[in-house]
Amino acid sequence: MRIEAYLKNLSTQTTSRETLRAYRQDLEKYEAFLREKGLRVNQAKPSTVSQFINHLTDKHGGALAPATISRRLSVLSAYYEFLRDNSDGNISNPVERVKRPKVNNEALRAVQDNALATLVDGITNVRDKAIVMVFIYSGLRLAELCQLNKDTILSRKRKTPDGQEQYFGTGEVLGKGRKRRKFIIGPTALQALGEYINQYRTTDINPALFLSSRRQRISCRNVQDIVSRWCKKLNVSHVHVHMLRHSFATRNVNAGMSAAVLQELMGHSNLSTTQRYFRVQPDRLTREYFAVMEFIRESSPV
């Protein structure tokens, strides 16, 4: 299999090391499976791909989640498309005829507010708290956070309705599809970042914003380990860092943010992706209902 050539090609479309690592692992497993079957990659049939998924399920010791199966089929399909493009169409894509499981894309799990409060209040490490706060108040993806430099975020100020000055941060990152996008960091997260930089990052010349214990740019796996470790220590149910991004979106929707604005802040290329968050919560439903009723009471004789 031409795994290295494919990953080199893929690296022109994404800068995420975690994505490249996941693709490599899936393809290497597929290569080992074909070797056991005595097959070359161009000899695989739809039934071969289905057998591979069943093989992974048996090895896992239980049923794989539909999203996991769908992701692995997508990896194989993308690889076969790469082979087809580079063989003048002589290699077909057997994954095209494999039925994919139905994935519930509406199940976007956010972290409950009480769990977020426990994390924020309980994390005593200044760097770790800053990382969590940036996720909560920016909506950045994991790979985007890891690419931040000390000079990425610019501090800005605005006047609040009561005349007070409020500071927030803005910056740009390279998001999905290697597209640059802007993001905003709220005042609370900016303050946490300031405390971290002032305590630990004023003298070194490393450009990376967040460093590991080895003083190297922090990796995606490092960040997930940090969050997992604090969840365990504070007796909070496991939180994957992507759930913090969902929390950012869900909290903003429930506060009344429009889909167009949220789409920009999340870096979604399609509005349909953003609209998945627009499931009105009961508290917002009640709040807006009585706000409208109050307006009607004051403006109508009925």
Side-chain angles (χ1 to χ4, degrees):
M1 288 178 60
R2 300 175 57 194
I3 296 177
E4 294 303 325
Y6 172 66
L7 293 176
K8 184 177 180 180
N9 177 267
L10 182 62
S11 67
T12 65
Q13 304 169 41
T14 178
T15 58
S16 171
R17 287 180 293 178
E18 290 301 301
T19 297
L20 294 172
R21 182 183 62 82
Y23 271 61
R24 179 187 296 278
Q25 288 182 345
D26 287 343
L27 291 173
E28 287 178 347
K29 289 176 182 176
Y30 184 58
E31 182 179 42
F33 174 79
L34 291 179
R35 191 180 298 119
E36 288 180 7
K37 296 291 183 180
L39 297 172
R40 292 192 298 272
V41 68
N42 61 342
Q43 294 177 316
K45 299 177 180 179
S47 59
T48 309
V49 177
S50 297
Q51 289 170 12
F52 171 64
I53 296 300
N54 292 334
H55 167 75
L56 292 178
T57 301
D58 294 339
K59 199 169 183 180
H60 183 263
L64 294 175
T68 301
I69 295 174
S70 182
R71 179 185 65 80
R72 285 176 168 161
L73 289 174
S74 295
V75 170
L76 294 183
S77 182
Y79 176 71
Y80 272 107
E81 289 301 315
F82 166 78
L83 294 181
R84 178 154 59 185
D85 290 343
N86 287 273
S87 67
D88 295 326
N90 292 325
I91 296 179
S92 62
N93 182 356
V95 186
E96 289 180 332
R97 288 176 286 161
V98 176
K99 186 177 180 180
R100 303 196 184 196
K102 186 177 180 180
V103 179
N104 181 11
N105 287 322
E106 300 300 320
L108 301 172
R109 292 181 57 207
V111 184
Q112 295 296 320
D113 281 347
N114 59 349
L116 287 178
T118 300
L119 275 177
V120 171
D121 295 339
I123 296 176
T124 54
N125 181 282
V126 178
R127 180 204 62 181
D128 297 354
K129 177 173 286 192
I131 287 173
V132 171
M133 294 293 278
V134 169
F135 275 126
I136 295 173
Y137 287 100
S138 73
L140 286 172
R141 298 179 177 91
L142 176 57
E144 293 170 345
L145 179 134
C146 293
Q147 69 179 254
L148 295 177
N149 289 329
K150 286 189 289 186
D151 62 356
T152 300
I153 300 169
L154 300 177
S155 179
R156 302 185 182 278
K157 65 180 179 180
R158 61 181 285 271
K159 277 196 174 183
T160 60
D162 60 2
Q164 299 293 316
E165 287 187 343
Q166 185 181 61
Y167 287 86
F168 65 99
T170 63
E172 285 190 0
V173 289
L174 199 62
K176 276 191 172 182
R178 301 181 68 84
K179 295 179 180 178
R180 297 206 68 83
R181 74 177 187 89
K182 296 180 180 180
F183 66 92
I184 298 176
I185 290 183
T188 309
L190 188 66
Q191 182 179 352
L193 271 176
E195 292 175 1
Y196 160 64
I197 291 174
N198 290 335
Q199 287 190 36
Y200 298 105
R201 303 299 312 284
T202 56
T203 58
D204 69 75
I205 61 172
N206 194 317
L209 177 57
F210 293 114
L211 300 181
S212 67
S213 57
R214 296 182 178 181
R215 309 298 294 176
Q216 302 295 319
R217 181 183 294 275
I218 204 163
S219 70
C220 294
R221 180 168 290 185
N222 287 155
V223 174
Q224 182 59 64
D225 288 344
I226 287 168
V227 175
S228 297
R229 189 163 58 247
W230 280 108
C231 285
K232 186 175 182 179
K233 186 172 183 178
L234 299 172
N235 198 29
V236 173
S237 296
H238 175 71
V239 171
H240 191 281
V241 291
H242 204 67
M243 294 168 64
L244 298 174
R245 176 170 156 87
H246 293 327
S247 297
F248 169 80
T250 301
R251 283 153 57 92
N252 285 338
V253 167
N254 289 333
M257 182 176 284
S258 71
V261 172
L262 184 62
Q263 180 185 9
E264 289 293 321
L265 292 176
M266 296 289 284
H268 291 152
S269 57
N270 298 312
L271 185 60
S272 59
T273 304
T274 310
Q275 289 174 330
R276 293 182 298 164
Y277 291 100
F278 282 78
R279 291 178 294 169
V280 181
Q281 299 297 311
D283 59 338
R284 183 182 175 191
L285 194 70
T286 304
R287 184 173 71 244
E288 295 197 12
Y289 172 82
F290 282 104
V292 171
M293 289 300 102
E294 182 66 19
F295 175 82
I296 293 174
R297 185 184 66 80
E298 294 177 355
S299 60
S300 172
V302 181

